[in-house]
Amino acid sequence: MARMKFLCDVERCIDCNGCVVACKEGNQVPVGINRRRVVTINAGRPGEKSISVACMHCSDAPCIAVCPVNAIYQREDGIVLVNKDICIGCGYCFMACPFGAPQFPKGDTFGARGAMDKCTFCAGGPAKDFSEKERRLYGQNRIAEGKPPLCAAMCATKALLAGDGDVIADIYRKRVFRRGSGANAWGWERAYKGR
Amino acid sequence: MAREKIVSFSRLSDSSKALRTTLNPKLVRRSFLKLAGAAAALSGIALAPRMTRKVLAGTDMAKRKAYPGSKIVRTICTHCSVGCGIYAEVQNGVWVRQEVAFDHPLSRGGHCCKGASAIDMVTSEKRLKGPMKRSGGQWKRLSWDQALNEVCGKLLEIREKYGPDAVHWNGSAKVSNEMAYLQRKLAAFWGTNNIDHQARICHSTTVAGVANTWGYGAMTNNVNDIRHSRLIFMIGSNAAEAHPVAMQHILYAKEVNNAPMIVVDPRFTKTAAKATDYVRIRSGTDTAFVMGLVNQIIENGWYDKEFVRTRVAGFSEMRRVARKYTPQVVEEITGVPASEVTRIAKLMAEHRPGTVIWCMGGTQHSIGSSNTRAYCILQLVLGNMGVSGGGANIFRGHDNVQGATDMCVLSHSLPAYYGIKDGSWKHWCRVWGVDYDWMKSRFHSKEYMNKKGFTLGRWYEGVIQEDKIDQYTPIKAVVFWGCASNSQSMYHKLKKALDKLELVVVIDPFPTMTAAACEKDNIYLLPCSSQYETSGSLTSTSRQLQWRYKVVDPVHDCKDDYEIMAEFTRRFGCADRFYKNLKKIPEDITRELGRGSLTIGYNGQTPERIKKHTDNWHTFDIDTLQAKGGPCDGEYYGLPWPCWTETHPGTPILYDISKPVAKGGLPFRARFGIKHTYDDGRTEDLLAAPGVANPGSEVMGGYPEFKDIVPGTNWKTDLSQKTIKEALRRGMAPFGNAKARCVVWNFPDKVPIHREPIHSPRPDLIARYPTYEDKPKQYRVYTRFKSEQKTDWVKEFPLILTTGRLVEYMGGGAETRSNKYLAELQPNMFAEINIKLANDHGIRDGDMVWIESPNGGKIKVMAKISDRVDEKTIFLPFHFGGIFMGRSLAANYPKGTIPYAIGEAANVVTNYGYDIVTQMQETKTGLCKITKA
């Protein structure tokens, strides 16, 4: 069984926010909720790097472990989803998540918010496939259509990869290998500093 | 970054509540887990992680559809000139979602944030819902009939009273080729050359400089071809924000070819973040830097001697000029260390073929037409022209600015660069099937038929006349047909003009800033549909033509551009003549414009062929853009012009002599005569050297252009196209085979030389590198050069002002700032300020500051402390509008159409200053001062 994973190639990510808007437009995510975001470090300085981050669909997901009402679950393919009918909006998953993935549609502070919302890997939710309810609460169910998530599919530079972890790891490995030696190799600057 | 974006975004969240669909579902409490879900359906199919494979085709998954009965329409993104493919999924006449065009040969499914929300152009709540006019300070809804009657009636009245030149038309780079062509034709039928569009302020200096170097003024290679480059040299281009999908191919070359990626820019851009080498130059010193590189390449013997001998003219004259730009001189002018100049030159010599990419950072200067020629000379001495992986890869701006430029929605030319001389008018009158004398009668006088009109950058002077105008009447009416006003510099003067005009007409899907900035009862808004609600061809920056299919019918009470044009011409009483050959719209227009546009070979691209390419875009190879098998076998994607005949495959790389002309090869164009005697008395043969020609050419060496095959005509004017076919039959280029020239003797600076910007921060250099003498009659207006360039500006205005793009927005931003998701990412207008400068002025991140220009403009914007700029430079994005010199104009928009993000227009503070040849506005270099608000 394949396990679904995201991988963002930081040598390719240009901080164009295509992934962010593809997600929002495709799933009609409300303004203020960020299932995905692009984080940039060292902006404007040599060494500037950007990376697109969303729910990592962890194999051993801390959010599932801490959810007091068992609203969060993992599918066989590794996609972590939340059942919004069960979620009580406590925010415990937000504290547990190392990536800040869980979002809360209403209010800014603890206690005053609705059910948790996060990246679904474009796999919809527990409601019936393609139902109005699924679309309204979770967005598209592209996985059920046999299609990849919008963010990666629409990535301008093919930095963001999504799919079977083994397959995307292989693509990335080949990409790094092909970059070869010189300025593009990983760790080159560290290993050959001053040369 | 992302956090910061979210926190600062509070204004939008309330207004868009109604749009939320992902809601809290506490109404029905039901526990239902779907653990297996679609997982079973996934087995056996990898999730197309390489994103180059169409997942749907031929699998059982195709049967499971989220939108039963929907169909996919192939169309093209309406934002930038890269030309990304879009799959629009349409169900029951409604565009329900964007699918991923994995098999598009350019974009491979990729989009930036603008393209990823292309659907918003149709669904945005901020669209104009029907025609309107301002009356008694209030917006009033009109019927189309009433609106058109009033607008056309007033236009005719003004024409009657003041003459045809009292109306200025601003056309568009955002419409199809067919529509752009009709816009230029309309101005002709109206009887004026006062028509212009965005290309004037985007790449006019490129077109002039580059065409005068080797024949055509367009990008020579194509975006995909960069995959073959061994080096990428980007100067004044921020592709990561302006052409994000092009970066797919640039980064591929960087990774796979281990190509050095050199970014030359005053600002450390997101593109610079991906570079291997970043060079920070002082804004406006491109020519000095590039001529410095040329000098190093020549003096060290790194230049391509054989290429220069056989295919380059004026080399020794150019060399004498380049010699003055020693590394030390370059360092003094540009600020780039002398050693860097030599190092970069060596890098370029060692990695061939390399490509040179430039954009508005290079063009928007008073010496823009020298900058662009300097870039060409660099490629010529390196021998990088006419080869795959090399070339002058000029990235154009708007989605169809290449096409609209080719259709010459410009005040100095008729379509396809024919100019406005008698012969040009006669040529197009023949194509249109109208009598030349009738056409002449439409104009004020014959003189005005051959006289260049006002430009987009300076038309407002025709109204306010602060600089003396050279026309019998002031301008009384302006029509903005798909054109933002806040993209023009000196916006505070332009606003004055808007308030003084008798009539302002905006034809646009959105009200644009014009609707808010014009505060008198003289304005009409005619809502045209977006380009997804109509169809036609468009030309990408790579000279490829794609067919943009109509996705849905016009929404609200909008009409598409063709329909509005028909209504205009009917009311002007010239519809019969105007539509003589045009029955089927838009296809007949494609045929008519092709029949006349022989100079640039638009004649081979019939509407049927263009559609065939778009319908079969999946059959084209990503590396060569050539179709392998299928209905387009052997042809290049989009039939890149020139496409000489209806069987020609298109020309993917200009001036490539390795291929026969009939197979997409070409030499340099013979456009400048056979011989030339330079100022020093040397006479040079301008045709290519013996032995240099395309394979299969009857003449192995240089030859002049073809003429008199049909007596009295040449290849450009022979409408039977026999001349072109005869040339191809003989294996030769219709336009001849010549050398590219380093010396452009018809320009003020024959060889590019550095001149300080009009508003220079270096008074010491103004004396040594002064600007030009004033030009009293430049495009019908007095343009100041020397009298504006003062050495003491810098005392009061010590900082350099430069402007640029943000990835989230496009142009004047009317469309993109009306998109809630894009506005969420960039809610505020800002000024990038270096930390040292900010601390010296007591400014902290997020503070409001006043920025003032020497020309009387000032804006109040948010300070953004950033390392992207140096301590002497302020950077402003130019997409904002809706606030004017500290005063919000939000109340001036029609109800419900205020964009989600409004802000000060940067062009209020961009300075006076224009290119000597094309009147390009100097918005990339100016002076300003900054104070805490």
Side-chain angles (χ1 to χ4, degrees):
Chain A
M1 189 67 213
R3 282 191 80 84
M4 296 300 143
K5 281 289 169 201
F6 285 121
L7 192 154
C8 183
D9 181 347
V10 292
E11 294 299 316
R12 286 272 185 107
C13 179
I14 55 171
D15 188 17
C16 77
N17 279 309
C19 50
V20 173
V21 176
C23 168
K24 291 194 171 207
E25 188 68 62
N27 295 308
Q28 286 293 297
V29 180
V31 164
I33 299 297
N34 291 279
R35 290 185 175 181
R36 177 169 285 288
R37 71 193 76 188
V38 179
V39 177
T40 299
I41 56 164
N42 294 326
R45 285 194 287 271
E48 174 178 338
K49 291 269 187 277
S50 298
I51 185 166
S52 174
V53 190
C55 169
M56 301 298 273
H57 300 277
C58 307
S59 303
D60 183 7
C63 55
I64 298 179
V66 300
C67 181
V69 292
N70 290 331
I72 308 173
Y73 62 98
Q74 189 158 35
R75 302 178 3 153
E76 272 182 40
D77 57 12
I79 297 173
V80 176
L81 296 176
V82 60
N83 186 328
K84 292 193 176 186
D85 287 336
I86 297 173
C87 173
I88 56 171
C90 68
Y92 209 0
C93 51
F94 181 68
M95 293 168 71
C97 177
F99 302 98
Q103 304 280 301
F104 295 90
K106 277 183 188 168
D108 299 313
T109 47
F110 285 102
R113 59 185 156 197
M116 185 266 273
D117 186 278
K118 70 167 193 66
C119 161
T120 65
F121 213 84
C122 284
K128 188 169 180 294
D129 283 358
F130 312 138
S131 63
E132 177 51 32
K133 182 180 177 187
E134 184 186 58
R135 203 172 290 160
R136 183 167 53 85
L137 294 184
Y138 307 101
Q140 294 189 33
N141 190 343
R142 300 175 61 81
I143 299 295
E145 292 181 272
K147 294 170 180 172
L150 282 166
C151 53
M154 288 188 176
C155 176
T157 56
K158 308 299 167 203
L160 187 62
L161 307 173
D164 181 336
D166 291 341
V167 177
I168 61 168
D170 195 46
I171 289 170
Y172 185 63
R173 187 185 62 78
K174 282 183 184 144
R175 213 184 256 187
V176 172
F177 187 71
R178 205 165 45 175
R179 281 171 193 160
S181 61
N184 294 327
W186 275 100
W188 179 270
E189 277 170 39
R190 187 160 297 183
Y192 297 95
K193 209 166 187 176
R195 278 191 57 178
Chain B
M1 279 284 285
R3 279 271 167 215
E4 175 190 30
K5 285 169 186 170
I6 299 153
V7 173
S8 61
F9 198 84
S10 54
R11 183 153 39 104
L12 295 187
S13 44
D14 277 335
S15 62
S16 58
K17 251 178 199 155
L19 300 168
R20 292 183 178 184
T21 51
T22 311
L23 295 170
N24 189 13
K26 289 300 164 196
L27 297 170
V28 188
R29 219 166 159 42
R30 222 176 101 209
S31 107
F32 172 59
L33 293 189
K34 191 179 60 173
L35 273 165
L42 274 172
S43 52
I45 180 159
L47 256 182
R50 204 184 271 278
M51 282 158 288
T52 53
R53 191 165 30 168
K54 208 172 155 193
V55 194
L56 264 176
T59 68
D60 57 341
M61 229 79 66
K63 290 175 199 129
R64 301 198 59 189
K65 286 187 86 169
Y67 295 94
S70 67
K71 61 175 203 297
I72 296 283
V73 179
R74 286 186 175 196
T75 193
I76 308 297
C77 179
T78 59
H79 291 295
C80 86
S81 63
V82 172
C84 303
I86 289 176
Y87 276 167
E89 191 169 356
V90 180
Q91 189 188 37
N92 300 325
V94 176
W95 187 357
V96 287
R97 66 172 169 176
Q98 270 179 261
E99 261 310 327
V100 185
F102 282 121
D103 49 8
H104 189 269
L106 261 128
S107 58
R108 312 302 279 185
H111 284 300
C112 67
C113 51
K114 299 183 295 297
S117 56
I119 187 173
D120 198 80
M121 200 74 102
V122 175
T123 58
S124 174
E125 302 203 326
K126 302 294 185 183
R127 282 273 296 264
L128 281 170
K129 313 293 191 299
M132 303 188 108
K133 76 166 173 183
R134 193 187 275 122
S135 161
Q138 299 295 315
W139 288 103
K140 204 178 131 197
R141 182 80 179 262
L142 304 175
S143 72
W144 268 101
D145 222 34
Q146 191 190 348
L148 287 163
N149 285 342
E150 288 186 19
V151 165
C152 294
K154 285 185 182 184
L155 285 169
L156 286 170
E157 220 171 88
I158 287 166
R159 186 176 195 277
E160 188 63 29
K161 200 163 153 196
Y162 306 102
D165 295 298
V167 178
H168 185 85
W169 303 84
N170 286 323
S172 185
K174 311 251 31 139
V175 296
S176 62
N177 288 327
E178 290 73 18
M179 189 57 207
Y181 169 77
L182 289 191
Q183 287 181 337
R184 186 62 186 88
K185 191 173 170 181
L186 178 73
F189 278 59
W190 178 261
T192 185
N193 286 327
N194 283 339
I195 177 156
D196 219 37
H197 82 294
Q198 290 96 336
R200 176 72 57 195
I201 55 173
C202 148
H203 269 293
S204 63
T205 47
T206 295
V207 177
V210 177
N212 273 291
T213 300
W214 47 52
Y216 288 137
M219 178 167 179
T220 64
N221 294 32
N222 56 65
V223 173
N224 291 55
D225 186 64
I226 298 170
R227 297 169 76 84
H228 307 293
S229 297
R230 300 276 157 185
L231 176 138
I232 303 134
F233 181 86
M234 305 173 82
I235 182 161
S237 161
N238 182 9
E241 301 213 57
H243 306 90
V245 175
M247 287 296 282
Q248 194 182 121
H249 304 293
I250 293 169
L251 292 175
Y252 178 91
K254 179 190 165 196
E255 291 172 10
V256 174
N257 306 340
N258 218 350
M261 178 177 162
I262 304 161
V263 171
V264 184
D265 206 294
R267 181 169 170 255
F268 188 93
T269 58
K270 288 184 187 177
T271 312
K274 289 281 163 289
T276 54
D277 300 85
Y278 168 65
V279 180
R280 196 191 292 272
I281 62 168
R282 172 165 68 91
S283 181
T285 61
D286 303 50
T287 292
F289 179 68
V290 174
M291 291 306 275
L293 294 179
V294 169
N295 178 46
Q296 282 300 297
I297 289 163
I298 297 173
E299 297 313 319
N300 288 304
W302 298 330
Y303 69 102
D304 188 331
K305 294 170 192 74
E306 185 58 14
F307 188 91
V308 166
R309 184 186 69 79
T310 56
R311 298 189 72 191
V312 178
F315 178 77
S316 49
E317 284 72 17
M318 182 275 294
R319 181 180 187 164
R320 269 203 296 279
V321 174
R323 223 172 246 154
K324 293 174 190 156
Y325 296 93
T326 62
Q328 291 69 33
V329 170
V330 173
E331 175 169 346
E332 194 193 3
I333 298 172
T334 67
V336 178
S339 60
E340 275 291 279
V341 179
T342 313
R343 188 181 71 83
I344 298 289
K346 187 154 185 265
L347 208 54
M348 295 191 78
E350 285 170 349
H351 294 80
R352 285 187 255 199
T355 181
V356 169
I357 298 169
W358 76 82
C359 293
M360 283 154 65
T363 63
Q364 289 182 335
H365 296 281
S366 53
I367 56 162
S369 51
S370 292
N371 289 346
T372 56
R373 283 182 294 142
Y375 308 148
C376 294
I377 291 169
L378 177 64
Q379 285 297 64
L380 287 173
V381 297
L382 287 165
N384 280 341
M385 291 311 300
V387 291
S388 175
N393 282 324
I394 305 138
F395 288 171
R396 302 297 306 259
H398 288 298
D399 56 326
N400 196 30
V401 69
Q402 184 60 54
T405 305
D406 293 339
M407 292 306 110
C408 293
V409 190
L410 295 166
S411 66
H412 64 274
S413 183
L414 286 167
Y417 312 101
Y418 277 83
I420 45 173
K421 294 203 176 101
D422 291 346
S424 328
W425 281 106
K426 284 178 181 152
H427 169 76
W428 279 104
C429 285
R430 268 200 302 278
V431 175
W432 295 331
V434 298
D435 184 38
Y436 170 74
D437 286 317
W438 177 82
M439 184 54 77
K440 207 162 69 182
S441 74
R442 300 292 294 162
F443 282 79
H444 174 71
S445 65
K446 190 174 165 300
E447 183 201 345
Y448 277 84
M449 202 174 178
N450 307 119
K451 184 180 171 118
K452 294 173 185 176
F454 281 101
T455 66
L456 181 63
R458 302 266 281 148
W459 65 269
Y460 62 85
E461 285 292 354
V463 187
I464 60 173
Q465 302 182 64
E466 289 183 6
D467 277 330
K468 193 170 175 299
I469 65 165
D470 176 32
Q471 177 173 295
Y472 59 89
T473 171
I475 288 170
K476 295 288 178 183
V478 65
V479 181
F480 286 95
W481 198 324
C483 186
S485 61
N486 52 329
S487 56
Q488 291 133 61
S489 64
M490 306 278 287
Y491 195 69
H492 57 304
K493 305 266 182 193
L494 191 149
K495 181 177 169 5
K496 230 183 193 175
L498 289 176
D499 288 337
K500 200 179 166 191
L501 283 159
E502 287 184 16
L503 178 68
V504 177
V505 184
V506 176
I507 307 174
D508 206 284
F510 295 90
T512 76
M513 184 173 179
T514 315
C518 177
E519 298 187 270
K520 293 278 157 49
D521 280 358
N522 55 355
I523 181 168
Y524 285 80
L525 307 178
L526 303 180
C528 63
S529 66
S530 77
Q531 295 301 306
Y532 299 115
E533 297 148 59
T534 182
S535 62
S537 67
L538 74 158
T539 309
S540 73
T541 188
S542 311
R543 292 173 287 108
Q544 299 149 331
L545 278 77
Q546 304 188 84
W547 195 265
R548 185 185 276 146
Y549 281 102
K550 178 176 172 173
V551 178
V552 288
D553 288 330
V555 296
H556 311 299
D557 189 13
C558 298
K559 284 185 190 296
D560 78 11
D561 292 306
Y562 302 117
E563 214 180 322
I564 299 172
M565 182 61 80
E567 299 283 357
F568 268 53
T569 49
R570 190 162 64 80
R571 284 171 174 80
F572 294 159
C574 60
D576 289 349
R577 283 190 173 88
F578 196 81
Y579 288 101
K580 198 171 174 193
N581 310 320
L582 313 175
K583 303 292 172 247
K584 190 166 185 280
I585 306 288
E587 288 83 354
D588 281 351
I589 313 174
T590 324
R591 275 183 271 271
E592 185 182 281
L593 72 87
R595 211 166 83 81
S597 302
L598 303 174
T599 43
I600 46 174
Y602 260 66
N603 48 322
Q605 301 103 333
T606 60
E608 292 76 20
R609 288 186 87 192
I610 304 169
K611 286 180 192 175
K612 190 166 78 177
H613 276 232
T614 303
D615 293 343
N616 294 288
W617 68 32
H618 51 277
T619 61
F620 292 86
D621 181 65
I622 183 175
D623 284 310
T624 60
L625 287 179
Q626 197 170 26
K628 288 181 177 162
C632 311
D633 189 27
E635 296 178 351
Y636 294 97
Y637 184 61
L639 302 162
W641 67 257
C643 176
W644 297 112
T645 66
E646 290 183 21
T647 52
H648 191 269
T651 309
I653 297 170
L654 293 175
Y655 323 120
D656 176 3
I657 55 168
S658 71
K659 291 193 212 71
V661 176
K663 301 243 186 243
L666 275 181
F668 288 126
R669 180 171 167 186
R671 199 177 180 178
F672 317 108
I674 310 272
K675 278 188 187 338
H676 183 75
T677 305
Y678 297 102
D679 294 344
D680 60 2
R682 186 174 78 100
T683 299
E684 191 178 16
D685 191 350
L686 296 178
L687 298 178
V692 172
N694 298 74
S697 170
E698 217 175 81
V699 177
M700 262 303 153
Y703 50 88
E705 64 175 12
F706 277 70
K707 58 181 176 191
D708 290 324
I709 301 289
V710 174
T713 67
N714 61 29
W715 65 282
K716 293 180 285 190
T717 55
D718 170 17
L719 291 179
S720 73
Q721 301 180 22
K722 281 191 187 125
T723 313
I724 289 175
K725 284 178 188 146
E726 173 66 7
L728 259 65
R729 192 188 62 75
R730 291 160 65 180
M732 294 157 78
F735 60 47
N737 174 11
K739 290 174 180 157
R741 54 177 187 167
C742 300
V743 180
V744 178
W745 46 84
N746 44 323
F747 275 19
D749 290 330
K750 295 182 171 106
V751 175
I753 56 167
H754 175 65
R755 290 177 186 270
E756 278 296 305
I758 304 290
H759 296 90
S760 164
R762 293 284 303 271
D764 57 320
L765 292 181
I766 289 176
R768 281 158 59 197
Y769 306 101
T771 188
Y772 309 90
E773 296 298 329
D774 289 6
K775 214 166 173 188
K777 291 179 181 180
Q778 195 193 29
Y779 297 89
R780 301 193 185 179
V781 62
Y782 191 105
T783 304
R784 289 171 279 138
F785 287 88
K786 216 163 209 171
S787 65
E788 178 72 12
Q789 189 179 52
K790 295 176 187 138
T791 48
D792 51 2
W793 280 130
V794 71
K795 286 178 199 149
E796 197 189 341
F797 301 93
L799 301 169
I800 301 173
L801 178 75
T802 191
T803 61
R805 280 280 310 270
L806 297 174
V807 68
E808 290 84 0
Y809 296 141
M810 187 76 211
E815 297 165 342
T816 38
R817 283 184 289 107
S818 298
N819 175 321
K820 61 180 183 290
Y821 296 130
L822 299 177
E824 180 185 13
L825 290 164
Q826 290 289 358
N828 298 309
M829 170 65 186
F830 60 85
E832 274 182 4
I833 302 168
N834 184 277
I835 182 75
K836 182 175 181 302
L837 180 64
N839 284 341
D840 288 348
H841 285 75
I843 295 163
R844 305 199 55 180
D845 197 46
D847 281 355
M848 294 306 282
V849 294
W850 281 103
I851 294 173
E852 284 175 70
S853 88
N855 302 106
K858 58 174 191 171
I859 58 173
K860 190 181 173 187
V861 297
M862 190 182 279
K864 183 175 178 181
I865 308 296
S866 172
D867 288 326
R868 294 203 191 277
V869 285
D870 65 22
E871 59 204 50
K872 288 193 170 61
T873 306
I874 306 272
F875 167 84
L876 300 173
F878 56 62
H879 311 285
F880 285 87
I883 299 176
F884 180 74
M885 310 233 282
R887 178 166 67 94
S888 173
L889 303 177
N892 291 351
Y893 283 92
K895 196 162 173 281
T897 65
I898 307 167
Y900 290 106
I902 59 170
E904 289 269 13
N907 279 315
V908 172
V909 288
T910 48
N911 297 182
Y912 188 101
Y914 303 92
D915 179 72
I916 188 76
V917 179
T918 71
Q919 212 175 74
M920 162 69 79
Q921 57 192 23
E922 188 165 50
T923 41
K924 289 291 172 275
T925 312
L927 291 176
C928 70
K929 70 172 172 187
I930 185 167
T931 45
K932 201 173 160 180

